Amino acid sequence: MTLQAVVNNVAPMPASKDVVVDIQKMSLTFQTADGPVYALSDVDLTINRGDFVSFIGPSGCGKTTLLRVIADLERATAGDILINGVSPRQAREDRAYGYVFQAPALLPWRSIERNVTLPLEIMEISKEERVKRAHDALKLVELNGFEKKFPWQLSGGMQQRASIARALSFDADLLLMDEPFGALDEIVRDHLNEQLLKLWARTNKTVAFVTHSIPEAVFLSSKIVVMSPRPGRIIDVIETDFAKDRTLDIRETPEFLEVAHRVREGLRAGHSYDD
Amino acid sequence: MTTDAATLPAARTGPGLWTRMMKGQTGPVCVMLIGLFVIWYIGAIFMNMPGQLDRYARAKQDWTVSQLVEATLNQDRPVLPAPHQVAAEMYKTIFATKITSKRSLVYHTWVTLSSTLLGFGIGTLLGILLAVGIVHVLTLEKSLMPWVISSQTIPILAIAPMIIVVLGAIGLKGLVPKAMISTYLCFFPVTIGMVKGLRSPDHIQLDLMRTYNASRWQTFFALRWPSSMPFLFASLKVAIAISLVGAIVGELPTGAQAGLGARLLAGSYYGQTVQIWAALLTAAFVAAMMVVVVGLFEKRVLERMGVRA
Ligand SMILES: Nc1ncnc2c1ncn2[C@@H]1O[C@H](COP(=O)(O)OP(=O)(O)OP(=O)(O)O)[C@@H](O)[C@H]1O
Ligand SMILES: [Mg+2]
């Protein structure tokens, strides 16, 4: 073992203290034709390495906007944001994250395999390596065998899985997912939730996950961020400690229902504020 | 007996011949064509009749209706030649004449076609380059677009002689000036189509490229260019047809010696209406064929891009 390896083995701080996303007093106002829209206001948020953080809140409360700020697709109007200790822009340029959009956004003229290799092509990775990584990523989402198919030959759920494979292909440590399963039926959704959880448990990636579904949020997350609209704020942060190898069965347990209840209360409080 | 045996099964299979014919394209197109020929013949009879009656009167000759009709359809220099006259002229000048001869329509078609294709090539390239510039550079959009549009508000018939004369003065004659006129006409639909095509990717697709920190060129080749293909081919079909128009118009002002335009011009000098119509129909046929070729090319490209059949 080289000295470097020894240092690497010993040096890391305790995993929970390793901060991936650090947001302080962040606000974002859109200037529109009919006046300013206060999308986010005074958001404080810390995401540690290995966290699975869900964002839940009513439509229009700024969940997508928050994710887009982290991804440097939107610029905050105030506050400090650090991703891996650098600015969001620097983090994007370092390809620090994989982003899964609400729609699959596959390119229709590329086969599934070539859709998955798209980011690798842009990162100028060799062809051989690209094919290998695409193969691995497609296997993770159980889409092996569909490499040569075109997007229109796949169902909506399969397309969304392909888009997850694409975000996984370059092995970024941070995954940003915006309602990736929003358009899928309950059964497929449950299945994909379990797969995603396994993936997370195995790879120790950090995941930021937007959802509208309370059970989904509680089942997947190590941390649930409840938001309220106008202006978008964080009104509650709930930490859970379910086992990493949990299965869908835990949804019947009292602990699970208790957390779900707290999330629902938070959402309700956010709404009454609105009236 | 044998003929019966051969025809009967054909008549009995499936729905009637008429229904089957009208289902596809062939049936309606045939009906259209027949209708057109009928109208054409009637038109030829009536338009050539006054001249024929004059001639009879001058010659103090008696005539019957059938004689009159036959005569109107077989004049040497009719106002409107009949289809069979045009067909005979086309057969004579396309198939029965050596293609190197100045009388061969194939020769003239080639002269026009070569400058059409050259102009089309340059025009397409220019159109695409302009579109790429306009899409990527904001100042180009503001400064270039008005010129692109106003260039097409000037009638080509006004511009063509100037281009021919100016280029002629610097020693460019023949193929190139004609091609320039084609270029002038055909870059426009390509620019307009490609600006739209290169801007056709969704926001979400552009955001996706941004998350990969893709450069402008990477975004261009991976996203914008493939997205624009349907727009490109739609523009090319328009462009190639008007490119031919440009080449023909380019042959008119100088009284060119060769080309379909020259045939039109010579025909009108000498009242050779049959020759004019033969050249016109050839031009129309060539234009249609070129559009078909672009269409086939489009099909190939889109198929290879995996577009759903
Ligand atoms: N580009 C934009 N310009 C102006 N206003 C915007 C823009 N993007 C979002 N908004 C506004 O910001 C607010 C938050 O939008 P956002 O998309 O983040 O909500 P969301 O929580 O993701 O909602 P949903 O659950 O419906 O996806 C909304 O009021 C929306 O109208
Ligand atoms: Mg959203």
Side-chain angles (χ1 to χ4, degrees):
Chain A
M1 209 180 261
T2 64
L3 179 62
Q4 189 60 42
V6 173
V7 171
N8 278 347
N9 270 351
V10 180
M13 314 269 277
S16 62
K17 287 281 163 279
D18 197 352
V19 176
V20 178
V21 176
D22 183 16
I23 297 177
Q24 274 169 27
K25 300 229 167 307
M26 189 265 281
S27 299
L28 193 151
T29 310
F30 289 109
Q31 299 300 339
T32 67
D34 9 279
V37 175
Y38 301 99
L40 290 170
S41 151
D42 232 357
V43 171
D44 290 308
L45 176 71
T46 312
I47 301 179
N48 295 319
R49 189 162 309 287
D51 270 353
F52 195 121
V53 181
S54 285
F55 298 87
I56 191 165
S59 192
C61 70
K63 305 180 294 292
T64 298
T65 307
L66 180 53
L67 223 54
R68 287 174 62 85
V69 168
I70 295 172
D72 189 41
L73 296 174
E74 218 78 73
R75 293 273 153 82
T77 29
D80 297 311
I81 306 136
L82 288 178
I83 313 293
N84 293 332
V86 297
S87 69
R89 184 187 175 145
Q90 184 61 50
R92 177 173 62 81
E93 286 171 359
D94 296 342
R95 281 122 180 189
Y97 65 83
Y99 199 111
V100 179
F101 292 86
Q102 197 162 348
L106 299 171
L107 304 186
W109 56 85
R110 282 176 171 248
S111 65
I112 295 303
E113 180 179 52
R114 293 204 58 233
N115 262 291
V116 174
T117 57
L118 173 70
L120 306 174
E121 272 171 45
I122 285 164
M123 295 166 195
E124 289 167 356
I125 287 164
S126 76
K127 168 123 200 233
E128 219 172 301
E129 180 73 13
R130 290 207 298 261
V131 173
K132 191 185 147 296
R133 289 215 209 165
H135 181 258
D136 294 347
L138 283 170
K139 204 160 172 189
L140 280 178
V141 297
E142 292 181 7
L143 269 184
N144 35 344
F146 291 89
E147 284 86 352
K148 299 295 174 232
K149 295 265 192 272
F150 282 93
W152 58 270
Q153 295 171 304
L154 268 58
S155 74
M158 291 158 96
Q159 290 184 24
Q160 192 56 278
R161 264 144 69 195
S163 87
I164 294 172
R166 180 178 59 188
L168 293 173
S169 68
F170 54 100
D171 207 26
D173 282 333
L174 175 60
L175 265 185
L176 307 174
M177 308 176 91
D178 190 359
E179 290 188 54
F181 310 137
L184 306 180
D185 73 70
E186 203 85 4
I187 306 294
V188 175
R189 196 174 177 144
D190 281 350
H191 180 61
L192 291 182
N193 278 344
E194 274 191 313
Q195 280 186 302
L196 180 59
L197 194 69
K198 276 195 202 128
L199 182 83
W200 170 68
R202 190 167 55 216
T203 57
N204 203 36
K205 284 184 192 302
T206 312
V207 184
F209 185 94
V210 172
T211 178
H212 272 134
S213 154
I214 297 176
E216 187 172 72
V218 179
F219 174 67
L220 288 173
S221 316
S222 61
K223 197 182 212 174
I224 304 164
V225 176
V226 184
M227 298 176 68
S228 83
R230 267 153 286 181
R233 288 164 308 124
I234 293 177
I235 51 174
D236 197 6
V237 177
I238 305 161
E239 309 238 4
T240 67
D241 52 1
F242 300 115
K244 271 202 163 187
D245 58 351
R246 56 188 173 266
T247 61
L248 287 165
D249 298 334
I250 68 150
R251 290 189 298 192
E252 320 290 310
T253 63
E255 294 87 346
F256 186 95
L257 295 174
E258 194 185 315
V259 176
H261 179 74
R262 193 172 148 194
V263 174
R264 184 166 285 116
E265 287 301 304
L267 288 173
R268 244 188 230 136
H271 258 288
S272 65
Y273 188 86
D274 193 26
D275 295 331
Chain B
M1 280 301 112
T2 43
T3 46
D4 270 358
T7 50
L8 272 180
R12 276 194 192 144
T13 48
L17 183 66
W18 177 254
T19 341
R20 268 184 297 147
M21 243 174 65
M22 295 309 282
K23 254 198 196 136
Q25 270 192 348
T26 4
V29 168
C30 283
V31 171
M32 271 284 293
L33 269 180
I34 291 169
L36 232 122
F37 274 119
V38 170
I39 294 171
W40 190 346
Y41 269 110
I42 294 173
I45 292 170
F46 280 96
M47 296 195 68
N48 300 333
M49 200 172 349
Q52 193 60 38
L53 289 177
D54 263 2
R55 223 168 293 167
Y56 283 142
R58 255 182 276 132
K60 297 217 166 46
Q61 191 186 340
D62 281 337
W63 50 272
T64 65
V65 171
S66 67
Q67 276 173 337
L68 175 68
V69 167
E70 205 200 315
T72 51
L73 295 181
N74 290 295
Q75 290 177 350
D76 248 0
R77 293 174 181 190
V79 177
L80 177 62
H84 66 266
Q85 289 178 293
V86 179
E89 166 79 8
M90 284 174 76
Y91 179 80
K92 195 180 83 192
T93 49
I94 293 174
F95 299 107
T97 313
K98 269 213 305 208
I99 58 168
T100 47
S101 153
K102 290 255 150 117
R103 294 181 171 280
S104 164
L105 211 48
V106 177
Y107 163 75
H108 290 285
T109 302
W110 169 245
V111 168
T112 304
L113 189 63
S114 57
S115 76
T116 300
L117 293 179
L118 180 63
F120 173 70
I122 302 173
T124 301
L125 213 65
L126 179 68
I128 292 174
L129 286 179
L130 282 174
V132 171
I134 287 169
V135 167
H136 285 91
V137 188
L138 188 68
T139 48
L140 276 189
E141 160 151 42
K142 298 225 163 111
S143 59
L144 225 52
M145 211 50 181
W147 287 103
V148 168
I149 289 169
S150 58
S151 76
Q152 303 298 307
T153 61
I154 308 166
I156 188 62
L157 280 174
I159 283 255
M162 293 199 297
I163 295 180
I164 301 279
V165 170
V166 168
L167 288 182
I170 60 169
L172 281 176
K173 289 203 168 70
L175 184 69
V176 175
K178 286 194 292 175
M180 287 300 112
I181 293 169
S182 292
T183 301
Y184 182 87
L185 283 182
C186 85
F187 87 93
F188 181 70
V190 176
T191 303
I192 299 295
M194 283 305 276
V195 166
K196 194 149 173 53
L198 294 173
R199 287 208 173 123
S200 66
D202 294 338
H203 270 291
I204 193 170
Q205 292 172 327
L206 289 166
D207 279 343
L208 183 73
M209 299 305 279
R210 197 171 144 84
T211 67
Y212 302 145
N213 192 32
S215 70
R216 275 170 161 231
W217 282 118
Q218 286 174 323
T219 305
F220 180 82
F221 285 113
L223 182 59
R224 289 190 190 274
W225 179 255
S227 307
S228 72
M229 280 304 109
F231 295 82
L232 176 65
F233 282 106
S235 309
L236 289 186
K237 284 182 197 165
V238 179
I240 196 140
I242 60 174
S243 191
L244 181 70
V245 172
I248 290 175
V249 167
E251 285 163 355
L252 297 180
T254 49
Q257 297 304 304
L260 290 174
R263 288 292 277 188
L264 289 175
L265 205 62
S268 72
Y269 276 156
Y270 304 113
Q272 295 284 1
T273 43
V274 180
Q275 182 185 322
I276 296 178
W277 279 83
L280 270 181
L281 285 190
T282 307
F285 178 76
V286 169
M289 280 302 109
M290 290 190 305
V291 172
V292 167
V293 168
V294 173
L296 289 177
F297 205 66
E298 172 181 30
K299 219 174 138 211
R300 275 289 301 276
V301 169
L302 294 188
E303 248 165 35
R304 286 196 53 184
M305 282 170 69
V307 172
R308 173 192 218 144

